[in-house]
């Protein structure tokens, strides 16, 4: 480059004061940005899921599916970005889990929720009479930053709820809290219980009692009077407020008035049977859930919540205990602190390598360049709104191993020229003239390698996309620092070279001579070297496809243990609760537990991003056990599994597992058997289950539903009904009163509406075998047994029906042991080939679980890969200026698979989504090395060297920076190798860079010589 052209390096050295000012400003701004960056455990992520529910008391699961779910599903499928609706119909209730496409823009989600809500409101009038809802829960995706349990043994639950309401209101006012919610409240009831015989003797009907209660309780307008001043409203002091007032309600019996309390027992109570139970530490509790405001610093909010709790505990009434169940602040502190330690270790290691390899002066220049690069990176992260979390901190550590290359190249080029007798300004300017363009191209190529994850339109892309942005910021800033601050610092700190110590003479030393001879042999045997390398690549690809384990996302390192309890479908919540209490008793004896919370009848609130709360189901319970540390967690899992293996819970399927990173995956191995007929589905699903169970790596293979439950049917005889003077509605009302109770009215108490339930005395609970003897009250006052109204018989029906996008399905599910879920799934899938080939028309088997989610994530990346390839070709072509050179550079991209496969096999690490990111980055690193080497060859050719000598000498001169960068990168990645999330990626990069160094120094010269037909002279 001529002297008259713009030279940023020369300008930085000439304008010393300006450059020093910007160095100091960068350091200050970088420190301020680092302190202001938000802290979070995981990146902000949009859960594109909502739930629609409806209730129809008395309806069977089939009726709920056909008459309620069917019209709702059709309307939901009209919404833009619709992906799937998974419908679960149970007697009296249906839940529709609606999921939108992974590529749905986050800003569109509120509008889509509104569209679903609007369609549900439009569909409601067309639903059968008696249907309640549909109810739309668009807060299903809320992640609770903290969960607190409020308990008070011996205190009335309603009084505990009142205290919880006051705490909730105060929690909502804490800075950084978006919402605070009360969870797990057991609804209050007033019960009016009659003795069956006495009610019959008094000739009272439940309807007459209901009418009397409503007459005393109904709030109606009494009019108003217009005056010359204000309007004067007349208010009637009506309303039943407590049990005593209910007892005083008058009833007409015969020709007399009696009070309700004389003929019935009136008492307070709670929903019976309960729909949802929550316990903390074995005690009944209500929960307070805190949702963090988006963009808030989690550590700061955690500190404010700790202060609030400390003040609150001093003010709570005696006997009320507030227990923290989960707190993301702890997880954030653990994750961020651990990564910051690893990050600082990586910084120190990289600087130490620079000092040792380059000397303390040159090493100091590189050491200063690293924090300056990071400072500007922090500033760009702050501007873009990227927090310090698991993904961004991991990306920073990855960047550390890559960003030193530019600084090392620039400072070494300056050293070489100063030792050749050039003055400082000219030596500094030479870094821009010769290396700025190839370094920029190499930097762009490395960053472009991560474009697919940065722009993947999927949930996984949203979760991990900041890897691209952080790396791109760090690498581009490292180039800018290398061509501005590094030359200035080099001119300031580098000592004048002493005669006889130059790099030019050093390149003729014994070590370099041996390296030169080795490179010459590689060039001389170029076909053998290239052929052997590509043979290794083929073997590595085969190894990656075969022996290397496959994985989607790894397990979390958080201390929670999840215990899922499944009873047969149709089981009562009382039976489920009994099993749950036995599991709690096992946990009560276990050491190392920080907290235990139990949720019976539905799942736990979403306290972790990748955890979908289970929908209401009386036959399901979940326990969240927080261990004191990872070792205690693993010991607790082993303890629980030993009790399960010993058969301590024979009536239930009890599953113990850990949290997983990535999108929610309930069971690691899942197959959906889809088809129209439930009976045929059961038969096919049983065959699939047998094949799944036969795999040595599966445990607990089962169908998610297949039971049928007994049901008593009353076939009404119209002639008999006409004789006794009753209608089916009146019979149903009297039976409901006798068996479960009917809601007569609602009592207005404080800020609650409390249902008043009429029912038979619980001392005379009806047994199944005595149903025929239940008495009915006729309109003329007679009593007749139920058997006179029709014939009773026992039948069977489905307690649950499930559909996937309006098609019935049964899921075959299993746990995995001793292998990775994708490997096990694909092995079973191949064994299902014969069954799949013989399926009846209209039936199919789909893969679900981890493999389905992984395929969605991989597809989102593959859609962006053509763009990545186009960008790579553009950058390489602009740098190489020839088709042959461009193709040669691109040909080196897949060679990282050799080292990556070897590292994964040696380290026994799985290849999954995170490792795939490392593979993409590795391709960019190798192409960067090829680009810079090719540019050095062109410089040598321009200096008049023969082509063979130009290739060999360029490789010799690139050896030092390549080796130094490789050592720095490998040592920087080592702290990540033990991390549960980043470990596979670290292994890929470490192995790839180790082999990549050999490829750069030995294979690339041979490839270049073969590509351009270079021949050795002599």
């Amino acid at each position: 480059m001529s002297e008259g052209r713009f030279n940023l390096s020369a300008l930085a050295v000439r304008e010393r004061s300006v450059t020093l000012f910007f160095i100091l400003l960068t350091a200050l701004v970088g420190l301020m940005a680092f302190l202001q960056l938000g802290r979070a455990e995981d990146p902000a992520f949009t859960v594109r899921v909502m739930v629609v529910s409806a209730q129809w008391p008395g309806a069977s699961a089939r009726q709920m599916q056909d008459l309620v779910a069917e019209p709702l599903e059709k309307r939901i499928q009209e919404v833009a970005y619709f992906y799937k609706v998974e419908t679960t119909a149970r007697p009296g209730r249906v839940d529709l889990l609606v999921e939108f496409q992974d590529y749905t823009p986050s800003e569109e989600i509120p509008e889509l929720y509104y569209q679903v809500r609007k369609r549900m409101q439009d569909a409601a009038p067309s639903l059968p009479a008696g249907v309640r809802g549909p109810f739309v829960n668009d807060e299903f995706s809320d992640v609770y930053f903290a969960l607190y349990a409020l308990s008070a043994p011996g205190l009335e639950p309603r009084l505990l709820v009142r205290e919880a309401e006051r705490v909730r209101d105060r929690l909502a006012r804490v800075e950084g809290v978006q919402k605070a919610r009360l969870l797990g409240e057991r609804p209050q009831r007033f019960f009016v219980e009659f003795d069956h015989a006495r009610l019959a003797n008094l000739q009272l009907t439940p309807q007459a009692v209901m009418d009397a209660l409503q007459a005393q309780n109904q709030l109606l307008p009494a009019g108003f009077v217009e005056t010359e001043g204000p309007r004067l409203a007349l208010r009637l002091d009506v309303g039943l407020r407590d049990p005593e007032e209910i007892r005083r309600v008058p009833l007409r019996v015969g020709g007399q008035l009696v009070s309700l309390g004389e003929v019935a027992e009136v008492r307070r109570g709670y929903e019976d049977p309960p729909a949802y139970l929550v316990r903390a530490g074995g005690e009944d509790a209500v929960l307070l859930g805190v949702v963090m405001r988006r963009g808030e610093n989690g550590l700061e909010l955690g500190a404010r919540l700790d202060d609030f709790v400390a003040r609150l505990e001093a003010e709570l009434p005696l006997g009320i205990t507030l227990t923290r169940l989960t707190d993301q602040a702890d997880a954030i502190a653990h994750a961020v602190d651990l990564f910051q330690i690893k990050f600082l270790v990586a910084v120190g290691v990289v600087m130490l390598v620079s000092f040792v390899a380059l000397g303390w002066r040159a090493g100091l220049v590189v050491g200063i360049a690293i924090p300056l690069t990071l400072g500007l990176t922090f500033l760009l992260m702050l501007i873009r709104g990227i927090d310090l979390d698991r993904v961004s901190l991991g990306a920073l550590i990855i960047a550390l191993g890559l960003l030193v290359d530019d600084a090392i190249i620039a400072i070494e080029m300056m050293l070489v020229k100063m030792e050749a007798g050039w003055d400082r300004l000219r030596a500094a300017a030479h870094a821009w003239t010769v290396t700025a363009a190839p370094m920029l191209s190499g930097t762009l190529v490395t960053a472009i390698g991560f474009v697919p994850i940065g722009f993947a339109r999927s949930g996984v892309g949203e979760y991990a996309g900041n890897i691209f942005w952080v790396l791109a910021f760090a690498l581009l800033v490292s180039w800018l620092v290398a061509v501005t601050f590094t030359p200035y610092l080099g001119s300031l700190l580098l000592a004048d070279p002493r005669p006889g110590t130059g790099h030019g003479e050093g390149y003729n030393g014994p070590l370099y001579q041996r390296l030169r001879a080795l490179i010459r042999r590689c060039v001389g045997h170029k076909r053998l070297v290239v052929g052997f390398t590509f043979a290794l690549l083929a073997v590595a690809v085969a190894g990656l496809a075969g022996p290397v384990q496959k994985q989607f996302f790894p397990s979390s390192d958080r201390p929670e243990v999840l215990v899922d309890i499944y009873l047969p479908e149709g089981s009562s919540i009382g039976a489920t609760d009994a099993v749950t209490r036995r599991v709690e008793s096992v946990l009560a004896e276990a050491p190392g537990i920080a907290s235990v919370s139990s949720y019976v009848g539905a799942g736990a609130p979403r306290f972790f991003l990748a955890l979908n709360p289970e929908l209401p189901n009386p036959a399901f319970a979940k326990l969240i056990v927080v261990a004191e540390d990872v070792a205690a967690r693993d010991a607790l899992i082993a303890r629980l599994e030993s009790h399960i293996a010993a058969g301590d819970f024979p009536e239930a399927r009890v599953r113990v597992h850990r949290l997983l990173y990535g999108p929610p995956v309930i069971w690691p191995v899942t197959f959906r058997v889809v088809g129209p007929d439930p009976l045929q589905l059961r038969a096919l699903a049983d065959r699939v289950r047998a094949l799944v169970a036969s795999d040595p790596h599966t445990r607990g293979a089962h169908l998610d539903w297949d039971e049928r439950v007994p049901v008593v049917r009353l076939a009404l005889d119209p002639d008999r009904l006409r004789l006794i003077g009753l209608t089916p509605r009146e019979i149903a009302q009297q039976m409901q009163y006798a068996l479960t109770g009917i809601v007569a009215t609602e009592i207005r108490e404080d800020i609650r509406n409390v249902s008043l339930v009429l029912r038979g005395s619980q001392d005379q609970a009806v047994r199944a075998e005595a149903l025929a003897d239940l008495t009915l009250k006729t309109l003329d006052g007679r009593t007749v047994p139920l058997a006179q109204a029709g014939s009773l018989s026992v039948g069977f029906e489905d307690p649950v029906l499930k559909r996937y996008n309006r098609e019935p399905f049964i899921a075959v599910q299993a746990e995995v042991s001793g292998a990775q879920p994708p490997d096990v799934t694909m092995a079973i899938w191949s064994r299902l080939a014969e069954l799949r080939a013989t399926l009846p028309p209209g039936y199919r088997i789909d893969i679900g679980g981890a493999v389905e989610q992984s395929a969605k994530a991989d597809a989102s990346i593959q859609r962006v890969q053509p763009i990545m390839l186009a960008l790579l070709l553009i950058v390489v072509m602009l740098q190489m200026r020839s088709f042959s050179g461009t193709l040669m550079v691109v040909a080196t991209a897949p060679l990282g698979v050799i080292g990556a496969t070897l590292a994964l096999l040696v380290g026994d690490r799985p290849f999954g989504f995170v490792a795939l990111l490392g593979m993409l980055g590795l391709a960019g690193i190798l192409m960067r090395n090829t680009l810079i080497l090719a540019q050095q060859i062109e410089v040598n050719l321009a200096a008049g060297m023969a082509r063979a000598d130009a290739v060999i000498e360029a490789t010799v001169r690139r050896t030092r920076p390549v080796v130094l960068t490789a050592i720095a990168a490998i040592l920087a990645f080592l702290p990540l190798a033990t991390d549960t999330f980043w470990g596979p990626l670290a292994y890929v990069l470490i192995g790839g860079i180790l082999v990549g160094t050999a490829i750069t120094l030995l294979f690339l010269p041979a490839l270049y010589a073969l590509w351009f037909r270079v021949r050795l002279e002599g």
Side-chain angles (χ1 to χ4, degrees):
M1 186 178 288
S2 65
E3 294 294 332
R5 293 189 179 180
F6 176 75
N7 189 314
L8 188 58
S9 299
L11 181 65
V13 175
R14 282 198 305 267
E15 301 294 339
R16 291 175 175 271
S17 297
V18 175
T19 305
L20 178 59
F21 167 76
F22 278 110
I23 288 175
L24 296 175
L25 181 63
T26 297
L28 179 62
V29 170
L31 178 62
M32 292 176 62
F34 175 75
L35 296 176
Q36 292 182 38
L37 283 172
R39 268 68 170 173
E41 181 185 12
D42 291 293
F45 176 78
T46 303
V47 180
R48 298 164 172 82
V49 178
M50 66 187 306
V51 174
V52 177
S53 302
Q55 299 172 6
W56 189 11
S60 66
R62 172 67 63 182
Q63 290 170 321
M64 292 302 301
Q65 174 183 275
D66 296 343
L67 299 176
V68 180
E70 176 75 16
L72 299 183
E73 290 169 335
K74 290 177 181 177
R75 297 305 308 274
I76 289 170
Q77 286 182 319
E78 300 169 358
V79 179
Y81 296 106
F82 170 83
Y83 171 59
K84 72 172 183 179
V85 55
E86 198 165 314
T87 304
T88 303
R90 303 181 189 279
R93 181 185 182 96
V94 67
D95 294 292
L96 293 82
L97 189 68
V98 184
E99 184 174 339
F100 298 101
Q101 294 284 1
D102 259 8
Y103 54 78
T104 307
S106 299
E107 58 274 12
E108 292 284 337
I109 294 298
E111 173 62 21
L112 296 178
Y113 286 170
Y114 166 73
Q115 291 296 331
V116 172
R117 186 182 295 276
K118 182 167 72 69
R119 282 166 169 77
M120 296 302 95
Q121 290 174 347
D122 293 344
S126 63
L127 296 177
V131 173
R132 302 172 188 164
F135 308 106
V136 178
N137 178 10
D138 54 11
E139 296 181 334
F140 182 75
S141 59
D142 282 351
V143 180
Y144 288 98
F145 180 85
L147 286 173
Y148 300 96
L150 207 63
S151 58
L155 184 67
E156 279 280 337
R158 64 188 178 87
L159 301 178
L160 183 63
V161 168
R162 295 296 182 272
E163 187 63 35
E165 289 277 6
R166 288 190 284 272
V167 176
R168 190 265 308 272
D169 292 342
R170 294 175 59 186
L171 261 177
R173 293 192 288 269
V174 174
E175 178 64 27
V177 172
Q178 178 182 336
K179 65 181 81 170
R181 296 190 62 196
L182 189 64
L183 308 167
E185 176 186 356
R186 188 172 174 183
Q188 294 181 62
R189 295 286 186 267
F190 285 99
F191 291 108
V192 178
E193 298 176 346
F194 291 89
D195 178 276
H196 296 301
R198 189 173 186 188
L199 192 67
N201 291 334
L202 293 172
Q203 298 186 350
L204 273 175
T205 64
Q207 185 61 51
V209 179
M210 287 177 60
D211 293 341
L213 288 167
Q214 290 173 359
Q216 295 291 324
N217 191 53
Q218 190 170 9
L219 182 63
L220 293 172
F224 54 83
V225 177
E226 294 284 2
T227 70
E228 294 181 359
R231 173 180 289 175
L232 187 63
L234 176 62
R235 306 286 186 208
L236 298 184
D237 187 15
V238 298
L240 304 173
R241 287 176 285 271
D242 56 45
E244 191 55 42
E245 290 190 5
I246 298 172
R247 292 187 186 98
R248 291 199 295 265
V249 169
L251 298 175
R252 185 171 297 278
V253 177
Q256 298 180 344
L257 289 177
V258 298
S259 65
L260 180 61
E262 293 180 65
V263 296
E265 180 183 353
V266 179
R267 63 181 181 85
R268 285 183 182 271
Y270 300 90
E271 183 184 44
D272 183 28
Y276 188 46
L277 295 172
V278 176
R279 284 191 296 274
E283 299 288 347
D284 291 337
V286 291
L287 300 187
L288 293 160
V290 175
V291 178
M292 182 174 71
R293 186 185 303 144
R294 194 178 182 92
E296 189 70 26
N297 187 315
L299 291 179
E300 293 179 0
L301 176 58
R304 288 194 288 270
L305 288 175
D306 287 343
D307 291 342
F308 170 82
V309 170
R311 295 195 305 271
L312 180 67
E313 287 177 335
E315 303 168 8
L316 284 174
L318 189 64
I320 297 181
T321 303
L322 184 71
T323 306
R324 185 177 66 175
L325 299 178
T326 65
D327 190 349
Q328 279 193 20
D330 289 344
I332 293 170
H334 173 75
V336 172
D337 290 350
L338 182 61
F339 266 88
Q340 285 183 165
I341 291 171
K342 292 181 178 180
F343 178 62
L344 293 174
V345 169
V347 171
V349 165
V350 170
M351 294 176 68
L352 182 61
V353 169
S354 303
F355 285 130
V356 172
L358 298 174
W360 77 269
R361 289 179 178 272
L364 183 61
V365 174
V366 175
I368 295 174
I370 291 171
L372 292 176
T373 300
L374 294 175
L376 285 176
T377 303
F378 291 144
L379 177 62
L380 293 173
M381 289 172 60
L382 183 65
I383 292 172
R384 184 168 170 80
I386 299 174
D387 294 334
L388 286 177
D389 52 46
R390 189 185 314 279
V391 170
S392 61
L393 279 165
L396 283 169
I397 297 177
I398 296 169
L400 266 179
L402 307 177
L403 59 83
V404 294
D405 195 24
D406 288 342
I408 290 175
I409 291 172
I411 201 66
E412 189 183 32
M413 182 65 68
M414 193 171 173
L415 278 170
V416 169
K417 293 307 175 184
M418 287 176 63
E419 290 160 354
W422 292 24
D423 62 67
R424 294 173 183 272
L425 177 59
R426 188 182 174 197
H430 188 70
W432 174 269
T433 305
V434 175
T435 62
M439 282 197 310
L440 179 59
S441 298
T443 296
L444 291 173
V445 163
T446 305
I448 288 169
F450 290 92
V451 160
I453 185 59
F455 291 91
R457 296 180 62 193
S458 66
V460 170
E462 185 180 2
Y463 178 83
N466 284 339
I467 293 175
F468 164 74
W469 293 106
V470 173
L471 280 169
F473 291 157
L475 294 175
L476 290 172
V477 167
S478 74
W479 176 83
L480 182 63
V481 169
V483 297
T484 53
F485 296 162
T486 300
Y488 165 77
L489 293 169
S491 68
L492 196 67
L493 297 175
L494 292 181
D496 292 326
R498 290 174 296 174
T501 62
H503 277 60
E505 297 177 10
Y507 288 138
N508 293 317
L511 185 61
Y512 282 108
Q513 288 292 0
R514 285 194 291 271
L515 177 63
R516 188 176 282 109
L518 179 60
I519 295 170
R520 180 174 289 274
R521 281 196 294 273
C522 290
V523 172
H525 299 86
K526 49 186 176 291
R527 288 185 176 82
L528 178 61
V529 172
V530 172
F532 179 72
T533 303
F534 280 108
L536 282 180
L537 175 62
V539 172
V541 171
L544 192 62
V548 175
Q549 300 179 69
K550 309 303 183 297
Q551 184 188 62
F552 181 31
F553 268 93
S555 297
S556 169
D557 57 358
R558 286 179 52 140
E560 287 89 353
V561 176
L562 311 183
V563 184
D564 297 341
I565 300 173
Y566 299 88
L567 267 70
E569 289 289 351
S571 298
S572 69
I573 195 169
T576 308
D577 189 40
V579 179
T580 306
R581 290 182 182 275
R582 282 159 45 203
V583 176
E584 288 174 341
S585 66
V586 171
L587 293 172
E589 302 170 359
I593 294 179
S595 69
V596 178
S597 53
S598 306
Y599 309 86
V600 185
R606 188 193 299 270
F607 65 91
F608 183 68
L609 186 65
L611 182 71
N612 266 350
E614 289 80 4
L615 297 175
N617 178 6
F620 175 80
K622 194 180 199 79
L623 288 86
I624 307 297
V625 188
V626 182
E628 293 177 350
D629 51 40
V630 173
R633 179 199 66 188
D634 295 341
L636 185 60
I637 291 174
R639 184 188 187 99
L640 286 169
E641 288 183 340
S642 68
H643 281 272
I644 296 168
D648 289 355
F649 316 106
E651 68 272 52
R653 180 184 304 112
V654 181
R655 180 192 181 203
V656 182
H657 58 112
R658 293 156 51 185
L659 293 169
L660 291 172
Y661 293 122
V665 175
I666 301 175
W667 289 89
V669 173
T670 302
F671 296 96
R672 284 190 302 271
V673 185
V674 184
D677 180 21
L679 293 178
Q680 182 75 354
L681 274 182
R682 283 183 171 90
L684 292 172
D686 273 329
R687 294 174 63 186
V688 175
R689 187 204 61 78
L691 281 170
V692 172
S694 68
D695 190 283
H697 297 295
T698 59
R699 290 189 294 115
H702 63 278
L703 310 185
D704 68 337
W705 66 275
D706 69 334
E707 302 92 345
R708 289 173 66 80
V709 295
V711 58
V712 179
R713 300 188 183 279
L714 176 60
L716 296 173
D717 186 327
D719 294 331
R720 293 184 186 181
L721 291 183
R722 188 169 55 253
L723 290 173
I724 63 179
L726 289 176
T727 63
R729 185 184 68 177
E730 291 163 342
I731 293 176
Q733 187 181 59
Q734 291 191 44
M735 289 301 95
Q736 185 182 8
Y737 152 77
L739 297 175
T740 58
I742 53 177
V743 176
T745 186
E746 287 190 338
I747 307 299
R748 298 175 291 279
E749 185 178 52
D750 297 334
I751 59 173
R752 292 286 193 276
N753 288 328
V754 182
S755 296
L756 189 152
V757 177
L758 301 183
R759 67 180 184 181
S761 173
Q762 295 304 287
D763 296 334
Q764 302 172 344
V766 179
R767 298 189 306 275
E769 59 270 20
L771 280 174
D773 299 327
L774 277 176
T775 56
L776 297 173
K777 183 75 174 178
T778 65
L779 296 181
D780 58 4
R782 292 181 295 121
T783 59
V784 296
L786 180 63
Q788 288 193 15
S791 59
L792 288 166
S793 63
V794 177
F796 290 87
E797 68 178 22
D798 294 309
V800 62
L801 293 170
K802 294 190 177 184
R803 303 212 297 189
Y804 185 92
N805 285 341
R806 297 177 56 212
E807 293 184 286
F809 82 98
I810 296 178
V812 182
Q813 302 163 331
E815 191 64 89
V816 171
S817 175
Q820 292 295 334
D823 295 331
V824 176
T825 300
M826 298 317 297
I828 296 171
W829 184 249
S830 63
R831 292 199 293 274
L832 287 170
E834 182 179 349
L835 175 59
R836 288 187 283 123
T838 59
L839 287 174
Y843 292 83
R844 70 176 190 275
I845 301 174
D846 296 337
I847 294 179
V851 172
E852 181 181 38
Q853 295 295 335
S854 178
K856 288 168 57 181
D858 292 345
S860 69
I861 289 180
Q862 290 165 6
R863 283 193 289 268
V864 188
Q865 283 179 337
I867 299 173
M868 176 197 76
L869 183 59
L871 292 173
L872 285 174
L873 291 174
I874 291 170
V875 173
V876 175
M877 175 58 81
L878 290 176
Q879 181 61 42
M880 299 301 295
R881 311 282 178 136
S882 70
F883 282 100
S884 57
T886 299
L887 292 175
M888 184 193 72
V889 171
V890 173
T892 62
L895 297 178
V897 175
I898 301 171
T901 301
L902 180 63
L904 290 173
L905 286 172
V906 171
D908 192 27
R909 289 301 184 109
F911 180 80
F913 183 81
V914 179
L916 176 63
L917 301 182
M919 204 73 83
L920 294 173
L922 198 55
I925 294 170
L926 291 179
M927 286 191 287
R928 170 194 172 92
N929 286 340
T930 308
L931 266 176
I932 296 176
L933 177 63
Q935 181 64 29
Q936 185 64 50
I937 293 172
E938 294 301 318
V939 171
N940 290 352
L941 289 173
M945 287 188 184
R947 188 172 287 273
D949 292 337
V951 171
I952 295 169
E953 291 305 315
T955 307
V956 170
R957 290 178 179 272
R958 276 294 294 158
T959 298
R960 181 160 158 151
V962 166
V963 171
L964 284 182
T965 302
I967 293 172
I970 290 168
L971 293 177
F973 298 151
L974 279 178
L976 284 180
T978 57
D979 187 75
T980 55
F981 185 83
W982 292 107
L985 179 141
Y987 271 83
V988 165
L989 291 177
I990 290 171
I993 288 173
L994 272 174
V995 175
T997 302
I999 288 173
T1000 301
L1001 300 180
L1002 303 177
F1003 168 76
L1004 287 183
L1007 180 65
Y1008 188 95
L1010 182 65
W1011 203 275
F1012 292 101
R1013 298 182 176 86
V1014 176
R1015 295 182 180 275
L1016 290 175
E1017 296 180 2

